[in-house]
Amino acid sequence: MMITEQEIRTLSKKNARRSAFKTILYLMLLCSAITFSVITTNDFVYFLSVVILGIVIAHGVELQHECLHHNLYRSIKVNRFFGIIYGLPMLVSYTHYQAQHLHHHTFLGTDKDEEIIDYKSEQLKTISGLFTRITNANRFFQFMVTMINTTQGVYPEVIKSKRQQRKFRHEYYFIFLFILILIFLYQVWGVNILFTWFFAWFFISEPLHFFIEVTEHIGKDKSNRVISENTRSYKTNLIWSYISNHNNYHIEHHSYPNVCAHNLKIVNEKKSGEYYTENSYIEAMKNVISGIRNEKVLKTKLSLKLQNRIKGVSAGIVAVIIYASMFLVSRYGVKNNIGIYELAFIRYSIAGMLLLPLFFLRKTSGRSVLTLSQGGLLAIVAGIPYMLLIYFGLKYAPAAHAAAINTGTVPCVVALMTLAKESSLRDKLFKLGSYVSLPM
Protein backbone atom coordinates (compact mmCIF):
# COMPACT_ATOMS: atom_id res chain seq x y z
CA MET A 1 0.00 0.00 0.00
CA MET A 2 1.29 3.45 -0.95
CA ILE A 3 1.37 6.36 1.47
CA THR A 4 0.64 9.85 0.12
CA GLU A 5 2.46 13.10 0.88
CA GLN A 6 -0.71 14.47 2.50
CA GLU A 7 -0.79 11.50 4.87
CA ILE A 8 2.87 12.07 5.77
CA ARG A 9 2.16 15.75 6.54
CA THR A 10 -0.75 14.71 8.76
CA LEU A 11 1.35 12.11 10.59
CA SER A 12 4.09 14.72 11.07
CA LYS A 13 1.83 17.18 12.94
CA LYS A 14 2.79 17.59 16.61
CA ASN A 15 0.22 16.76 19.24
CA ALA A 16 0.74 19.23 22.11
CA ARG A 17 -1.26 17.19 24.63
CA ARG A 18 0.52 13.94 23.84
CA SER A 19 3.92 15.67 24.02
CA ALA A 20 3.06 17.27 27.36
CA PHE A 21 1.87 13.91 28.68
CA LYS A 22 5.15 12.26 27.63
CA THR A 23 7.18 14.91 29.42
CA ILE A 24 5.03 14.95 32.58
CA LEU A 25 5.06 11.14 32.83
CA TYR A 26 8.84 11.11 32.37
CA LEU A 27 9.38 13.73 35.09
CA MET A 28 6.94 12.02 37.47
CA LEU A 29 8.64 8.64 37.11
CA LEU A 30 12.08 10.24 37.41
CA CYS A 31 11.25 12.23 40.56
CA SER A 32 9.39 9.30 42.15
CA ALA A 33 12.29 6.91 41.61
CA ILE A 34 14.79 9.44 43.02
CA THR A 35 12.57 10.22 46.03
CA PHE A 36 12.02 6.58 46.97
CA SER A 37 15.73 5.79 46.55
CA VAL A 38 16.61 8.63 48.95
CA ILE A 39 14.01 8.12 51.70
CA THR A 40 13.67 4.33 51.80
CA THR A 41 15.47 2.13 54.31
CA ASN A 42 14.35 -1.08 52.63
CA ASP A 43 16.98 -2.66 50.36
CA PHE A 44 14.41 -4.15 47.96
CA VAL A 45 12.60 -0.80 47.54
CA TYR A 46 15.94 0.92 46.95
CA PHE A 47 16.95 -1.67 44.33
CA LEU A 48 13.57 -1.35 42.60
CA SER A 49 13.89 2.46 42.62
CA VAL A 50 17.35 2.26 41.01
CA VAL A 51 16.05 -0.10 38.30
CA ILE A 52 13.09 2.17 37.52
CA LEU A 53 15.37 5.22 37.53
CA GLY A 54 17.71 3.50 35.06
CA ILE A 55 14.83 2.62 32.74
CA VAL A 56 13.47 6.18 32.85
CA ILE A 57 16.92 7.65 32.13
CA ALA A 58 17.31 5.38 29.07
CA HIS A 59 13.79 6.33 27.92
CA GLY A 60 14.81 9.98 28.24
CA VAL A 61 17.48 9.61 25.54
CA GLU A 62 14.82 8.19 23.21
CA LEU A 63 12.68 11.26 23.92
CA GLN A 64 15.76 13.40 23.28
CA HIS A 65 16.04 11.67 19.90
CA GLU A 66 12.50 12.76 19.05
CA CYS A 67 13.29 16.32 20.17
CA LEU A 68 16.39 16.60 17.98
CA HIS A 69 14.21 15.84 14.95
CA HIS A 70 11.84 18.60 16.21
CA ASN A 71 9.05 16.00 16.32
CA LEU A 72 7.98 16.38 19.95
CA TYR A 73 7.16 20.10 20.19
CA ARG A 74 6.38 22.74 17.58
CA SER A 75 8.98 25.18 18.90
CA ILE A 76 12.65 24.53 18.12
CA LYS A 77 13.66 26.21 21.39
CA VAL A 78 11.26 24.09 23.44
CA ASN A 79 12.57 20.94 21.75
CA ARG A 80 16.12 21.95 22.63
CA PHE A 81 15.21 22.85 26.23
CA PHE A 82 13.59 19.50 26.97
CA GLY A 83 16.13 17.69 24.80
CA ILE A 84 18.90 18.95 27.08
CA ILE A 85 16.95 17.79 30.17
CA TYR A 86 16.25 14.33 28.69
CA GLY A 87 19.91 13.68 27.86
CA LEU A 88 21.38 15.13 31.06
CA PRO A 89 21.43 11.94 33.22
CA MET A 90 23.25 9.99 30.49
CA LEU A 91 25.72 12.82 29.80
CA VAL A 92 24.42 13.28 26.25
CA SER A 93 24.64 16.78 24.79
CA TYR A 94 21.58 17.72 22.72
CA THR A 95 23.55 19.68 20.10
CA HIS A 96 26.23 17.00 19.82
CA TYR A 97 23.64 14.22 19.49
CA GLN A 98 21.62 16.22 16.97
CA ALA A 99 24.58 17.04 14.71
CA GLN A 100 25.97 13.49 14.81
CA HIS A 101 22.57 11.84 14.38
CA LEU A 102 21.59 13.95 11.37
CA HIS A 103 25.00 13.09 9.95
CA HIS A 104 24.04 9.43 10.47
CA HIS A 105 20.78 9.95 8.56
CA THR A 106 22.62 11.61 5.69
CA PHE A 107 25.40 9.05 5.33
CA LEU A 108 23.61 5.82 6.29
CA GLY A 109 24.85 3.06 4.01
CA THR A 110 28.28 4.66 3.47
CA ASP A 111 31.68 4.56 5.19
CA LYS A 112 31.00 8.01 6.67
CA ASP A 113 28.07 6.77 8.77
CA GLU A 114 28.73 7.21 12.49
CA GLU A 115 26.51 7.81 15.54
CA ILE A 116 27.33 9.62 18.80
CA ILE A 117 27.05 6.26 20.60
CA ASP A 118 28.05 3.96 17.79
CA TYR A 119 27.68 0.18 17.86
CA LYS A 120 29.68 -1.67 15.23
CA SER A 121 29.66 -5.39 14.43
CA GLU A 122 33.42 -5.80 14.88
CA GLN A 123 33.17 -4.42 18.41
CA LEU A 124 30.68 -7.13 19.41
CA LYS A 125 32.68 -10.17 18.32
CA THR A 126 34.67 -10.54 21.56
CA ILE A 127 33.62 -10.73 25.21
CA SER A 128 35.67 -7.66 26.12
CA GLY A 129 34.29 -5.70 23.16
CA LEU A 130 30.72 -6.73 23.96
CA PHE A 131 31.12 -5.72 27.62
CA THR A 132 32.62 -2.37 26.62
CA ARG A 133 29.73 -1.59 24.28
CA ILE A 134 26.94 -2.82 26.61
CA THR A 135 28.19 -0.75 29.54
CA ASN A 136 29.64 2.02 27.34
CA ALA A 137 32.44 1.90 29.91
CA ASN A 138 34.49 4.77 28.49
CA ARG A 139 31.54 7.18 28.24
CA PHE A 140 32.60 9.35 31.20
CA PHE A 141 36.18 9.46 29.92
CA GLN A 142 34.96 10.52 26.46
CA PHE A 143 32.75 13.19 28.03
CA MET A 144 35.63 14.67 30.04
CA VAL A 145 38.03 14.64 27.07
CA THR A 146 35.44 16.30 24.83
CA MET A 147 34.68 18.97 27.43
CA ILE A 148 38.38 19.74 28.00
CA ASN A 149 38.88 19.95 24.23
CA THR A 150 36.16 22.62 24.00
CA THR A 151 38.18 24.85 26.35
CA GLN A 152 40.95 24.72 23.74
CA GLY A 153 38.60 25.40 20.83
CA VAL A 154 38.62 21.79 19.58
CA TYR A 155 35.20 20.39 18.57
CA PRO A 156 33.95 17.20 16.84
CA GLU A 157 34.00 17.39 13.07
CA VAL A 158 30.19 17.57 12.84
CA ILE A 159 30.10 20.74 15.00
CA LYS A 160 30.98 23.33 12.37
CA SER A 161 29.28 26.70 12.88
CA LYS A 162 30.12 29.17 15.66
CA ARG A 163 26.55 28.95 16.90
CA GLN A 164 26.72 25.16 17.14
CA GLN A 165 30.04 25.40 18.96
CA ARG A 166 28.61 27.85 21.50
CA LYS A 167 25.58 25.63 22.20
CA PHE A 168 27.80 22.54 22.31
CA ARG A 169 30.16 24.17 24.81
CA HIS A 170 27.38 25.46 27.07
CA GLU A 171 25.65 22.07 27.15
CA TYR A 172 28.83 20.24 28.12
CA TYR A 173 29.45 22.76 30.91
CA PHE A 174 25.85 22.32 32.06
CA ILE A 175 26.25 18.54 32.22
CA PHE A 176 29.49 18.97 34.16
CA LEU A 177 27.66 21.30 36.56
CA PHE A 178 25.04 18.57 37.03
CA ILE A 179 27.79 16.15 38.14
CA LEU A 180 29.25 18.75 40.51
CA ILE A 181 25.82 19.32 42.08
CA LEU A 182 25.43 15.58 42.73
CA ILE A 183 28.88 15.54 44.35
CA PHE A 184 27.97 18.61 46.44
CA LEU A 185 24.72 17.02 47.65
CA TYR A 186 26.62 13.93 48.72
CA GLN A 187 29.55 15.72 50.38
CA VAL A 188 27.56 18.44 52.19
CA TRP A 189 24.21 16.85 53.00
CA GLY A 190 25.11 13.17 52.74
CA VAL A 191 22.37 12.51 50.17
CA ASN A 192 23.29 9.31 48.31
CA ILE A 193 21.78 10.45 45.01
CA LEU A 194 25.29 10.50 43.46
CA PHE A 195 25.71 6.75 43.78
CA THR A 196 22.05 6.11 42.97
CA TRP A 197 22.45 8.01 39.70
CA PHE A 198 25.73 6.26 38.88
CA PHE A 199 24.36 2.75 39.51
CA ALA A 200 21.15 3.49 37.59
CA TRP A 201 23.06 5.03 34.67
CA PHE A 202 25.96 2.57 34.39
CA PHE A 203 24.24 -0.72 35.26
CA ILE A 204 20.72 -0.12 33.90
CA SER A 205 20.51 2.80 31.45
CA GLU A 206 23.59 2.08 29.33
CA PRO A 207 22.86 -1.66 28.88
CA LEU A 208 19.19 -0.91 28.18
CA HIS A 209 20.14 1.76 25.64
CA PHE A 210 22.45 -0.77 24.00
CA PHE A 211 19.64 -3.33 23.63
CA ILE A 212 17.35 -0.66 22.20
CA GLU A 213 19.86 0.62 19.65
CA VAL A 214 21.65 -2.57 18.64
CA THR A 215 18.67 -3.86 16.64
CA GLU A 216 18.53 -0.78 14.40
CA HIS A 217 21.26 -1.63 11.87
CA ILE A 218 23.53 -4.41 13.19
CA GLY A 219 23.25 -7.53 11.05
CA LYS A 220 21.89 -5.57 8.09
CA ASP A 221 23.82 -4.49 5.00
CA LYS A 222 25.26 -1.17 6.18
CA SER A 223 27.06 -0.70 2.85
CA ASN A 224 23.72 -0.57 1.04
CA ARG A 225 22.00 2.82 0.61
CA VAL A 226 18.52 1.22 0.40
CA ILE A 227 16.93 1.85 3.81
CA SER A 228 15.02 -1.43 3.96
CA GLU A 229 18.34 -3.26 3.40
CA ASN A 230 20.45 -1.40 5.99
CA THR A 231 17.80 -0.87 8.69
CA ARG A 232 15.46 -3.10 10.69
CA SER A 233 11.87 -2.79 11.95
CA TYR A 234 10.15 -5.21 14.31
CA LYS A 235 6.87 -5.54 16.19
CA THR A 236 6.86 -5.43 19.96
CA ASN A 237 4.70 -5.05 23.08
CA LEU A 238 3.42 -1.82 24.61
CA ILE A 239 6.00 -1.69 27.43
CA TRP A 240 9.04 -2.00 25.16
CA SER A 241 7.40 0.33 22.65
CA TYR A 242 7.06 2.96 25.41
CA ILE A 243 10.62 2.52 26.73
CA SER A 244 12.14 2.73 23.24
CA ASN A 245 9.69 5.49 22.22
CA HIS A 246 8.57 3.46 19.18
CA ASN A 247 12.17 3.07 18.02
CA ASN A 248 11.32 -0.47 16.85
CA TYR A 249 9.86 1.02 13.65
CA HIS A 250 13.24 2.18 12.44
CA ILE A 251 12.84 1.67 8.68
CA GLU A 252 9.85 3.99 8.89
CA HIS A 253 11.82 6.52 10.92
CA HIS A 254 14.66 6.69 8.38
CA SER A 255 12.23 6.81 5.48
CA TYR A 256 10.15 9.61 7.04
CA PRO A 257 12.23 11.28 9.81
CA ASN A 258 9.67 14.08 10.30
CA VAL A 259 6.87 11.70 11.28
CA CYS A 260 6.12 11.75 15.02
CA ALA A 261 7.32 8.65 16.85
CA HIS A 262 3.84 7.46 17.90
CA ASN A 263 2.69 7.54 14.25
CA LEU A 264 5.46 5.29 12.91
CA LYS A 265 3.30 2.22 13.47
CA ILE A 266 0.69 3.69 11.10
CA VAL A 267 3.39 4.17 8.45
CA ASN A 268 4.44 0.54 8.95
CA GLU A 269 0.87 -0.69 8.48
CA LYS A 270 0.35 1.42 5.35
CA LYS A 271 3.60 0.19 3.77
CA SER A 272 2.97 -3.43 4.71
CA GLY A 273 4.32 -5.77 2.04
CA GLU A 274 7.01 -3.41 0.73
CA TYR A 275 9.62 -4.80 3.15
CA TYR A 276 9.86 -7.37 5.91
CA THR A 277 8.94 -6.40 9.49
CA GLU A 278 10.29 -8.86 12.02
CA ASN A 279 7.65 -10.29 14.31
CA SER A 280 9.27 -9.69 17.71
CA TYR A 281 12.28 -8.28 19.51
CA ILE A 282 13.54 -11.84 20.02
CA GLU A 283 13.51 -12.46 16.26
CA ALA A 284 15.29 -9.14 15.72
CA MET A 285 18.03 -10.08 18.24
CA LYS A 286 18.44 -13.52 16.66
CA ASN A 287 19.05 -11.83 13.32
CA VAL A 288 21.47 -9.37 14.95
CA ILE A 289 23.51 -12.26 16.41
CA SER A 290 23.34 -14.20 13.15
CA GLY A 291 24.47 -11.13 11.22
CA ILE A 292 27.43 -10.54 13.54
CA ARG A 293 28.54 -14.18 13.21
CA ASN A 294 28.25 -14.29 9.43
CA GLU A 295 29.65 -10.87 8.68
CA LYS A 296 33.22 -10.84 7.38
CA VAL A 297 34.79 -7.95 9.23
CA LEU A 298 38.15 -6.63 8.09
CA LYS A 299 40.54 -5.21 10.69
CA THR A 300 40.24 -1.52 10.02
CA LYS A 301 42.06 1.30 11.72
CA LEU A 302 39.01 1.82 13.90
CA SER A 303 38.87 -1.77 15.15
CA LEU A 304 42.62 -1.72 15.78
CA LYS A 305 42.22 1.54 17.68
CA LEU A 306 39.45 -0.05 19.76
CA GLN A 307 41.61 -3.09 20.52
CA ASN A 308 44.46 -0.84 21.64
CA ARG A 309 42.07 1.16 23.81
CA ILE A 310 40.77 -2.01 25.49
CA LYS A 311 44.34 -3.15 26.13
CA GLY A 312 45.22 0.27 27.52
CA VAL A 313 42.16 0.40 29.81
CA SER A 314 42.82 -3.16 31.00
CA ALA A 315 46.46 -2.35 31.72
CA GLY A 316 45.36 0.77 33.59
CA ILE A 317 42.93 -1.22 35.76
CA VAL A 318 45.64 -3.79 36.58
CA ALA A 319 48.06 -0.97 37.45
CA VAL A 320 45.48 0.61 39.79
CA ILE A 321 44.88 -2.75 41.53
CA ILE A 322 48.63 -3.34 41.99
CA TYR A 323 49.24 0.22 43.19
CA ALA A 324 46.31 0.17 45.64
CA SER A 325 47.30 -3.28 46.93
CA MET A 326 50.80 -1.99 47.75
CA PHE A 327 49.46 0.22 50.55
CA LEU A 328 47.28 -2.54 52.00
CA VAL A 329 50.04 -5.17 51.91
CA SER A 330 52.63 -2.76 53.32
CA ARG A 331 50.31 -1.69 56.14
CA TYR A 332 49.63 -5.34 56.96
CA GLY A 333 53.38 -6.05 56.97
CA VAL A 334 54.46 -3.24 59.30
CA LYS A 335 51.62 -4.03 61.71
CA ASN A 336 52.68 -7.70 61.86
CA ASN A 337 56.30 -7.26 62.93
CA ILE A 338 57.92 -7.08 59.48
CA GLY A 339 60.51 -4.31 59.56
CA ILE A 340 60.46 -1.45 57.10
CA TYR A 341 63.93 -2.40 55.83
CA GLU A 342 62.83 -6.00 55.21
CA LEU A 343 59.82 -4.75 53.27
CA ALA A 344 62.02 -2.47 51.18
CA PHE A 345 64.42 -5.35 50.50
CA ILE A 346 61.57 -7.65 49.38
CA ARG A 347 60.11 -4.95 47.14
CA TYR A 348 63.30 -3.96 45.34
CA SER A 349 65.05 -7.34 45.21
CA ILE A 350 62.13 -9.01 43.41
CA ALA A 351 61.52 -6.02 41.11
CA GLY A 352 65.26 -5.76 40.44
CA MET A 353 65.59 -9.41 39.44
CA LEU A 354 62.57 -9.15 37.12
CA LEU A 355 63.90 -6.02 35.38
CA LEU A 356 67.60 -6.95 35.37
CA PRO A 357 67.42 -8.55 31.87
CA LEU A 358 66.14 -5.25 30.48
CA PHE A 359 69.14 -3.49 31.99
CA PHE A 360 71.57 -5.76 30.12
CA LEU A 361 69.59 -5.52 26.89
CA ARG A 362 69.46 -1.71 26.94
CA LYS A 363 72.33 -1.27 24.44
CA THR A 364 71.14 -3.86 21.93
CA SER A 365 67.45 -2.98 21.94
CA GLY A 366 67.91 0.37 20.19
CA ARG A 367 65.39 1.97 22.58
CA SER A 368 65.91 5.14 24.55
CA VAL A 369 67.05 4.44 28.14
CA LEU A 370 67.90 6.57 31.16
CA THR A 371 71.41 7.85 31.59
CA LEU A 372 73.35 6.94 34.73
CA SER A 373 72.70 10.36 36.30
CA GLN A 374 68.99 10.19 35.45
CA GLY A 375 68.76 6.69 36.89
CA GLY A 376 70.57 7.77 40.05
CA LEU A 377 68.22 10.73 40.53
CA LEU A 378 65.19 8.50 39.99
CA ALA A 379 66.54 5.99 42.53
CA ILE A 380 66.91 8.74 45.13
CA VAL A 381 63.56 10.48 44.72
CA ALA A 382 61.43 7.40 43.89
CA GLY A 383 63.57 4.53 45.18
CA ILE A 384 64.45 3.12 48.59
CA PRO A 385 64.36 6.45 50.54
CA TYR A 386 60.91 7.14 49.13
CA MET A 387 59.56 3.71 50.08
CA LEU A 388 61.18 3.75 53.54
CA LEU A 389 59.35 7.01 54.23
CA ILE A 390 56.03 5.43 53.17
CA TYR A 391 56.65 2.29 55.26
CA PHE A 392 57.56 4.41 58.28
CA GLY A 393 54.31 6.39 57.90
CA LEU A 394 52.26 3.19 57.58
CA LYS A 395 53.37 2.17 61.06
CA TYR A 396 51.26 5.03 62.45
CA ALA A 397 48.67 5.90 59.79
CA PRO A 398 45.94 3.86 58.03
CA ALA A 399 46.51 2.63 54.47
CA ALA A 400 43.72 4.93 53.25
CA HIS A 401 45.62 8.00 54.49
CA ALA A 402 48.84 6.85 52.85
CA ALA A 403 47.06 6.15 49.55
CA ALA A 404 45.35 9.55 49.56
CA ILE A 405 48.43 11.59 50.52
CA ASN A 406 50.88 9.73 48.30
CA THR A 407 48.59 9.49 45.27
CA GLY A 408 47.63 13.15 45.62
CA THR A 409 51.19 14.39 46.09
CA VAL A 410 52.75 12.64 43.08
CA PRO A 411 50.69 14.46 40.39
CA CYS A 412 51.28 17.76 42.20
CA VAL A 413 55.05 17.27 42.08
CA VAL A 414 54.88 16.18 38.42
CA ALA A 415 52.76 19.24 37.64
CA LEU A 416 55.30 21.56 39.26
CA MET A 417 58.15 19.88 37.35
CA THR A 418 56.36 20.33 34.02
CA LEU A 419 55.45 23.92 34.85
CA ALA A 420 59.12 24.65 35.44
CA LYS A 421 59.78 23.83 31.77
CA GLU A 422 57.26 26.39 30.47
CA SER A 423 58.73 29.77 29.66
CA SER A 424 55.65 31.99 29.45
CA LEU A 425 53.32 32.83 32.36
CA ARG A 426 50.28 32.18 30.11
CA ASP A 427 51.34 28.58 29.39
CA LYS A 428 52.07 28.00 33.08
CA LEU A 429 48.64 29.27 34.13
CA PHE A 430 46.89 27.25 31.41
CA LYS A 431 48.64 24.05 32.44
CA LEU A 432 48.02 24.73 36.10
CA GLY A 433 44.31 25.24 35.40
CA SER A 434 44.18 21.96 33.47
CA TYR A 435 45.83 20.05 36.33
CA VAL A 436 43.42 21.56 38.87
CA SER A 437 40.31 20.85 36.80
CA LEU A 438 41.12 17.23 35.89
CA PRO A 439 40.63 15.74 39.40
CA MET A 440 37.28 17.50 39.64
Side-chain angles (χ1 to χ4, degrees):
M1 185 186 298
M2 294 294 294
I3 185 167
T4 65
E5 290 185 11
Q6 180 58 44
E7 288 175 318
I8 293 298
R9 283 195 290 270
T10 301
L11 295 173
S12 300
K13 288 183 179 179
K14 286 76 176 173
N15 186 318
R17 290 183 179 180
R18 180 184 287 269
S19 299
F21 176 76
K22 281 185 177 183
T23 300
I24 293 170
L25 182 58
Y26 167 82
L27 293 174
M28 285 178 59
L29 291 172
L30 187 74
C31 294
S32 299
I34 293 172
T35 302
F36 276 105
S37 69
V38 171
I39 67 175
T40 187
T41 57
N42 184 287
D43 291 340
F44 176 76
V45 174
Y46 177 76
F47 174 77
L48 187 62
S49 300
V50 171
V51 171
I52 293 174
L53 180 61
I55 293 172
V56 174
I57 290 173
H59 172 64
V61 173
E62 301 308 316
L63 292 176
Q64 184 185 44
H65 168 248
E66 191 171 8
C67 283
L68 67 85
H69 281 286
H70 302 152
N71 291 343
L72 195 59
Y73 294 96
R74 292 188 179 93
S75 167
I76 294 176
K77 291 183 178 179
V78 175
N79 275 305
R80 180 172 181 251
F81 174 81
F82 283 108
I84 292 171
I85 301 300
Y86 291 141
L88 186 62
M90 278 188 69
L91 312 184
V92 179
S93 157
Y94 175 82
T95 301
H96 192 182
Y97 188 8
Q98 183 182 52
Q100 194 68 62
H101 185 71
L102 297 181
H103 174 91
H104 159 68
H105 271 262
T106 303
F107 294 102
L108 180 62
T110 71
D111 293 337
K112 295 181 179 180
D113 177 27
E114 189 174 348
E115 272 273 40
I116 186 171
I117 303 177
D118 207 21
Y119 304 116
K120 297 184 181 295
S121 299
E122 60 265 29
Q123 300 170 352
L124 309 178
K125 285 180 171 286
T126 63
I127 298 297
S128 59
L130 185 62
F131 174 80
T132 302
R133 298 318 299 155
I134 288 178
T135 60
N136 201 14
N138 60 348
R139 172 68 189 138
F140 186 77
F141 173 76
Q142 289 177 333
F143 167 80
M144 291 302 299
V145 169
T146 305
M147 192 188 72
I148 292 171
N149 284 342
T150 62
T151 64
Q152 302 174 20
V154 178
Y155 297 89
E157 188 178 350
V158 292
I159 306 297
K160 296 178 180 178
S161 69
K162 293 291 184 181
R163 186 179 181 185
Q164 274 187 316
Q165 291 175 0
R166 185 178 65 256
K167 290 180 178 179
F168 179 94
R169 185 170 60 253
H170 292 169
E171 288 167 15
Y172 266 83
Y173 292 164
F174 181 65
I175 296 171
F176 186 61
L177 177 63
F178 161 76
I179 298 172
L180 292 180
I181 291 172
L182 295 185
I183 295 172
F184 174 82
L185 290 174
Y186 175 72
Q187 292 289 345
V188 177
W189 290 334
V191 181
N192 70 344
I193 191 173
L194 174 66
F195 297 102
T196 300
W197 161 72
F198 177 79
F199 292 138
W201 163 51
F202 188 78
F203 293 104
I204 306 296
S205 304
E206 288 292 357
L208 185 58
H209 184 258
F210 169 84
F211 286 109
I212 291 173
E213 302 282 322
V214 75
T215 56
E216 294 175 354
H217 305 287
I218 299 293
K220 302 291 286 187
D221 186 2
K222 293 184 73 174
S223 63
N224 195 323
R225 293 286 284 171
V226 178
I227 293 174
S228 59
E229 295 297 323
N230 59 39
T231 309
R232 176 183 289 106
S233 286
Y234 61 91
K235 299 174 184 177
T236 189
N237 56 63
L238 289 175
I239 296 175
W240 188 253
S241 182
Y242 169 76
I243 293 172
S244 65
N245 197 32
H246 310 281
N247 197 51
N248 52 301
Y249 294 112
H250 215 61
I251 293 176
E252 295 74 17
H253 170 63
H254 273 275
S255 300
Y256 306 100
N258 292 326
V259 171
C260 298
H262 60 274
N263 289 329
L264 292 174
K265 183 179 180 180
I266 299 174
V267 177
N268 176 266
E269 291 170 349
K270 287 185 173 291
K271 294 181 74 67
S272 177
E274 291 188 25
Y275 47 80
Y276 179 65
T277 302
E278 291 165 21
N279 293 311
S280 66
Y281 180 82
I282 294 175
E283 182 184 347
M285 280 302 298
K286 285 181 178 178
N287 290 329
V288 168
I289 296 169
S290 176
I292 292 172
R293 286 176 176 174
N294 297 331
E295 189 177 36
K296 293 181 179 179
V297 181
L298 297 176
K299 285 192 174 182
T300 62
K301 291 182 180 179
L302 180 62
S303 62
L304 183 60
K305 181 180 179 181
L306 180 65
Q307 291 174 21
N308 290 336
R309 180 175 295 177
I310 292 171
K311 291 177 182 177
V313 171
S314 302
I317 293 172
V318 172
V320 169
I321 293 172
I322 293 172
Y323 192 66
S325 301
M326 183 267 290
F327 296 102
L328 298 173
V329 173
S330 301
R331 170 70 173 172
Y332 180 81
V334 297
K335 295 298 288 183
N336 287 272
N337 300 321
I338 301 178
I340 60 175
Y341 298 104
E342 287 84 350
L343 280 173
F345 174 78
I346 293 171
R347 175 186 174 93
Y348 286 102
S349 61
I350 295 174
M353 286 188 290
L354 290 174
L355 295 175
L356 193 60
L358 296 179
F359 176 78
F360 288 111
L361 292 172
R362 70 189 190 282
K363 291 183 179 180
T364 59
S365 65
R367 296 180 180 179
S368 176
V369 294
L370 294 176
T371 63
L372 189 61
S373 59
Q374 289 174 330
L377 178 62
L378 186 62
I380 293 172
V381 298
I384 294 177
Y386 165 75
M387 288 311 305
L388 287 175
L389 182 62
I390 290 178
Y391 294 151
F392 181 78
L394 283 167
K395 291 177 68 175
Y396 305 100
H401 291 185
I405 295 170
N406 183 73
T407 309
T409 304
V410 169
C412 291
V413 174
V414 172
L416 291 173
M417 292 172 66
T418 56
L419 286 175
K421 292 185 176 181
E422 297 295 341
S423 57
S424 68
L425 179 61
R426 179 180 176 276
D427 291 338
K428 288 182 178 181
L429 291 175
F430 180 78
K431 275 198 172 183
L432 185 60
S434 300
Y435 292 138
V436 171
S437 64
L438 280 173
M440 297 174 63

